[in-house]
Amino acid sequence: MKSTHEILDEIMFYIFERAKCEEDTYKYLEHVLDYCKKDYQQAYKKQKGVELTMNDIKQKYAN
């Protein structure tokens, strides 16, 4: 069984490899990041019943 670290490394590898297939790699990575933030926002609301703002999410990441 893979560790969380190994799985995250593999996820990052495939995201970056996929991004390199795009003309604008940075734009694609920003798109994936936005998707992840929105997915986290929805999951948090479902679990906790509280909707986080994007500023809340950025602050959680900064901490």
Side-chain angles (χ1 to χ4, degrees):
M1 184 173 185
K2 291 182 181 181
S3 70
T4 301
H5 179 76
E6 290 171 319
I7 293 169
L8 291 173
D9 281 349
E10 191 171 349
I11 289 168
M12 288 189 299
F13 170 80
Y14 285 112
I15 288 172
F16 188 62
E17 289 301 309
R18 169 62 178 86
K20 291 192 297 188
C21 296
E22 293 294 321
E23 214 170 286
D24 189 341
T25 301
Y26 181 79
K27 183 177 177 181
Y28 177 78
L29 291 173
E30 284 290 323
H31 168 76
V32 171
L33 181 58
D34 287 342
Y35 173 83
C36 291
K37 288 176 184 177
K38 289 175 186 173
D39 187 51
Y40 171 64
Q41 186 180 40
Q42 290 175 352
Y44 191 91
K45 183 177 180 181
K46 183 178 179 182
Q47 183 184 38
K48 308 276 186 179
V50 176
E51 188 167 345
L52 297 174
T53 66
M54 284 301 155
N55 284 336
D56 294 333
I57 292 169
K58 287 178 186 177
Q59 190 172 20
K60 280 185 169 288
Y61 174 73
N63 292 334

